[in-house]
Amino acid sequence: MQSDHKVSVIRRFSYRTHKEMETISGCQDNFSYNEAKNCFAIADGATQSFYSSIWSKLLVDYFCENPEIDQNNWQEWLKPIQKEWLKEVKAELEKAKSGNNPAWIEIYNGLEHSKSATSTFIGLQFIENQAKISIVGDSCLFIFQGNQLIQTYLLQKSADFNNRPGYFGSYPKNNNDYKPEFLDIPLKYEQDSDKLYFVLATDALAEYIFKYTEQQRDILTALLTINSEQEFENFVKSARHDDTIKMKNDDVTLMILEVRDREIPSSPTQTRKENQKNTPIISPLSYETEQPSKEDQNNSSSVEKEPEDNTSDQKLQDTSGFAKISSNLQTLLQPLLSLFMPPRNSTSSTSQPTKDPVIKRIDGIRNILFVFIPLNIFLSATTLYFISQTDNKINSIKTEQSSNSNSSSQVTEYKPKYMNLKKGNQIYKDQDFQEIIIPALSDSSQVLILEEGEEWIKFQIDLYANQAILNECYTCARDEIEIKPKTNLRTLASESERDVFGQLSEPSKFKKLEFDSLPNWSKFTFVGYVKK
């Protein structure tokens, strides 16, 4: 082991994307890196909290410049970021007031009531032969060696995700419920070992990765093929519509780091404090089947090591009935053959021959010819038969696997269909075209196609409405709102004329969506029909 050999880290990929039918401006996730300091960070701001996108951005940027955070100073470490967050939110308030945006009242009330921003966080720094982790919440770190997942932090399986993850809060009072974890991972130098990959992911993608690995499926290969922002967005879009493992519709951030010439040693990971005391703790990764360490394997010199079988054809043959039948035939025929062939290591001198040695040898040869030749013909025919059957079985399984693989790839490549509605289009309530909901669109907009008929297209788009245009609705369900007629429905939560989708011809109810970033606004799903 070379203690002076420094770790080599390459940032393979890093990007974030927004929820479906939203824009990147509404994304609460953020990431940052400082390759000169070997610092990397991601954060997931809570949608329900107050200006969490600003908070998550400050967290990752500050860590990459000031990674000196530990269990003794983390609350002090947060204070400069908390002051900067408050400063930027106040600037948003002044901007809204000067622009006559009614949202300024909600921002003012949020500040008056000390409404907080919250965010999960992972900070990772590589120093010499060590990876130092600072982590809170359900954003996850996955460590792969080759394509084998060997460790995860902090969560261990897909069932661990819930609606109350830990976080960093933008006010000191908000940081009493959850404490971050600080871990040190030693990295042992090994020139010829498989590469290490550190994969950082926010919750929606992290849960998706867990579900893949829990089904013994290879997710790393798919992640490593992502080389551009567009490829990442296509991957996320396909995962959200996958029929086998579906990714939740949430903001998504991915960062992949390649660590060369390193491996995770068999010694357990230590917390920052325990590392200073040289006290080992239990490794956080739990396996269903415990695997022996390399050191254990090397010390087992008294046990003959069987050659490793890596080809799929050999595995299929081993699991077929041929090997078992061949073994059973040899076992059954061994007593018969022993009648004509003396044991190899026979050392008994007490038994005396009853015939002349020459006559006995001739009798033995004659008996062997009568029995062995027909038996050999039978065994050869049987062996050829079972080889043929096994080969057919292997080909059948290969064909089935190929079919399943093609079917799976077709599902993965599924992409939702969109269309552009042109300015001036009429929107109808249903495919009968009897009732017009919007007489004319104010501007062109991209919408998601839900269904198509011979003469109509059913579409969906998420829109926004200011609270001032909502009716008091006593017949609405809890997740419904009713909007007044001849008022603007908007593609973004703004007062700009270019963001107007259209005006309703009559009062209408819509499904309300979760949207707390601007409390003076409501977000809802609009579904309508257009003529082809």
Side-chain angles (χ1 to χ4, degrees):
M1 177 176 178
Q2 302 180 17
S3 60
D4 59 342
H5 188 95
K6 294 184 178 180
V7 68
S8 173
V9 182
I10 298 174
R11 181 177 54 87
R12 289 282 300 259
F13 182 80
S14 56
Y15 193 58
R16 61 178 185 145
T17 190
H18 51 83
K19 300 179 184 71
E20 194 170 44
M21 301 304 294
E22 292 191 9
T23 62
I24 196 65
S25 62
C27 182
Q28 313 296 318
D29 282 12
N30 274 291
F31 68 90
S32 187
Y33 52 88
N34 184 337
E35 291 172 316
K37 292 186 176 183
N38 271 348
C39 291
F40 309 88
I42 66 169
D44 178 6
T47 304
Q48 299 83 358
S49 64
F50 190 53
Y51 279 100
S52 61
S53 59
I54 295 177
W55 177 237
S56 64
K57 178 64 174 170
L58 290 171
L59 282 171
V60 296
D61 287 347
Y62 188 76
F63 174 85
C64 289
E65 294 298 327
N66 306 275
E68 300 82 11
I69 176 176
D70 58 40
Q71 62 183 358
N72 298 317
N73 72 354
W74 66 274
Q75 296 203 33
E76 288 295 318
W77 184 87
L78 286 173
K79 285 183 178 180
I81 320 174
Q82 292 167 340
K83 290 179 180 179
E84 182 62 26
W85 172 83
L86 190 59
K87 177 182 175 182
E88 293 194 22
V89 175
K90 288 180 178 179
E92 290 292 323
L93 172 62
E94 294 303 318
K95 180 181 176 181
K97 288 179 69 175
S98 62
N100 293 321
N101 187 339
W104 77 266
I105 298 176
E106 298 297 334
I107 302 174
Y108 175 81
N109 289 335
L111 290 171
E112 282 293 298
H113 292 88
S114 298
K115 193 172 180 181
S116 176
T118 60
S119 177
T120 66
F121 174 79
I122 300 178
L124 183 61
Q125 184 184 26
F126 295 89
I127 301 178
E128 297 294 338
N129 304 320
Q130 201 172 60
K132 305 174 79 67
I133 305 172
S134 306
I135 184 169
V136 64
D138 58 6
S139 291
C140 293
L141 170 63
F142 300 86
I143 304 179
F144 293 83
Q145 188 148 21
N147 62 352
Q148 182 69 36
L149 178 62
I150 59 174
Q151 288 185 5
T152 68
Y153 303 91
L154 289 169
L155 304 187
Q156 302 297 301
K157 55 185 182 298
S158 60
D160 291 342
F161 290 86
N162 57 55
N163 295 324
R164 296 180 60 84
Y167 56 75
F168 279 145
S170 59
Y171 285 107
K173 66 177 183 178
N174 301 122
N175 291 302
N176 297 323
D177 295 333
Y178 300 101
K179 293 182 179 180
E181 293 283 343
F182 301 96
L183 304 162
D184 293 338
I185 306 176
L187 301 174
K188 185 172 70 175
Y189 175 71
E190 186 166 306
Q191 183 69 37
D192 297 324
S193 66
D194 290 329
K195 294 176 184 177
L196 282 177
Y197 295 99
F198 284 64
V199 177
L200 291 75
T202 50
D203 59 337
L205 177 56
E207 185 179 13
Y208 185 77
I209 292 173
F210 271 120
K211 288 181 177 179
Y212 248 79
T213 57
E214 286 164 2
Q215 294 188 12
Q216 306 300 315
R217 297 170 68 178
D218 177 18
I219 186 65
L220 181 65
T221 301
L223 296 177
L224 291 178
T225 61
I226 300 173
N227 296 309
S228 68
E229 296 173 0
Q230 187 59 53
E231 288 177 356
F232 178 61
E233 292 189 357
N234 290 341
F235 168 81
V236 172
K237 190 178 295 183
S238 295
R240 286 170 177 164
H241 295 270
D242 194 330
D243 290 335
T244 55
I245 302 176
K246 194 180 296 290
M247 184 188 294
K248 291 180 179 178
N249 182 24
D250 196 3
D251 299 332
V252 179
T253 296
L254 169 67
M255 183 179 289
I256 303 176
L257 308 174
E258 179 183 316
V259 184
R260 295 184 175 179
D261 301 334
R262 295 283 156 170
E263 69 168 4
I264 300 293
S266 57
S267 59
T269 302
Q270 297 174 324
T271 64
R272 196 74 48 82
K273 186 174 182 180
E274 288 163 334
N275 187 40
Q276 294 169 358
K277 294 182 179 180
N278 295 320
T279 304
I281 64 166
I282 298 174
S283 175
L285 183 63
S286 59
Y287 293 89
E288 292 183 2
T289 304
E290 187 174 353
Q291 300 292 336
S293 66
K294 289 187 176 181
E295 183 177 353
D296 293 336
Q297 293 172 352
N298 294 336
N299 291 338
S300 302
S301 58
S302 61
V303 179
E304 184 178 354
K305 188 175 182 180
E306 295 180 1
E308 185 177 356
D309 188 1
N310 292 324
T311 65
S312 60
D313 286 355
Q314 288 173 327
K315 289 180 180 178
L316 288 171
Q317 186 173 351
D318 288 345
T319 57
S320 70
F322 174 73
K324 295 180 180 179
I325 292 171
S326 178
S327 176
N328 291 338
L329 283 173
Q330 292 178 11
T331 302
L332 291 171
L333 293 172
Q334 189 61 39
L336 183 60
L337 294 175
S338 65
L339 294 174
F340 312 107
M341 297 180 182
R344 291 183 182 179
N345 299 324
S346 178
T347 57
S348 175
S349 60
T350 58
S351 59
Q352 299 296 328
T354 58
K355 293 184 179 182
D356 182 81
V358 176
I359 297 174
K360 181 178 180 180
R361 191 175 297 115
I362 294 173
D363 289 343
I365 294 172
R366 181 188 60 194
N367 293 335
I368 288 173
L369 291 175
F370 280 131
V371 177
F372 185 74
I373 292 176
L375 182 62
N376 189 44
I377 295 172
F378 170 76
L379 284 175
S380 299
T382 304
T383 300
L384 290 173
Y385 171 77
F386 281 109
I387 288 175
S388 174
Q389 292 299 311
T390 303
D391 187 58
N392 291 339
K393 184 175 181 181
I394 291 171
N395 291 333
S396 175
I397 294 174
K398 283 183 176 180
T399 303
E400 183 179 351
Q401 289 176 340
S402 176
S403 175
N404 292 338
S405 176
N406 292 336
S407 176
S408 175
S409 63
Q410 290 174 0
V411 172
T412 303
E413 292 172 359
Y414 168 78
K415 295 181 180 179
K417 294 176 64 176
Y418 294 89
M419 65 177 292
N420 283 321
L421 293 182
K422 295 181 180 180
K423 181 178 179 179
N425 269 13
Q426 288 184 325
I427 309 301
Y428 297 88
K429 184 176 182 179
D430 52 39
Q431 61 264 43
D432 294 333
F433 307 129
Q434 297 299 315
E435 187 175 348
I436 297 174
I437 304 178
I438 297 179
L441 291 183
S442 299
D443 204 349
S444 299
S445 297
Q446 187 181 65
V447 297
L448 174 68
I449 297 175
L450 298 179
E451 195 177 350
E452 290 189 60
E454 292 184 2
E455 299 179 352
W456 52 267
I457 298 176
K458 182 181 180 181
F459 71 88
Q460 173 183 308
I461 183 173
D462 290 346
L463 298 175
Y464 299 83
N466 192 282
Q467 298 291 342
I469 70 171
L470 301 185
N471 277 330
E472 290 188 11
C473 181
Y474 300 104
T475 60
C476 290
R478 292 184 63 182
D479 62 344
E480 283 185 328
I481 56 173
E482 186 175 80
I483 300 178
K484 298 176 182 179
K486 298 181 181 180
T487 54
N488 289 332
L489 311 181
R490 299 177 176 275
T491 55
L492 294 174
S494 76
E495 295 293 339
S496 172
E497 288 300 317
R498 67 173 178 266
D499 296 327
V500 176
F501 180 75
Q503 292 190 346
L504 295 169
S505 59
E506 61 181 25
S508 301
K509 294 178 182 179
F510 299 98
K511 181 181 179 181
K512 185 178 180 180
L513 302 176
E514 188 177 285
F515 181 71
D516 295 331
S517 299
L518 293 173
N520 201 40
W521 290 80
S522 289
K523 181 180 177 183
F524 60 96
T525 298
F526 181 93
V527 177
Y529 292 78
V530 291
K531 291 181 179 180
K532 282 190 173 180

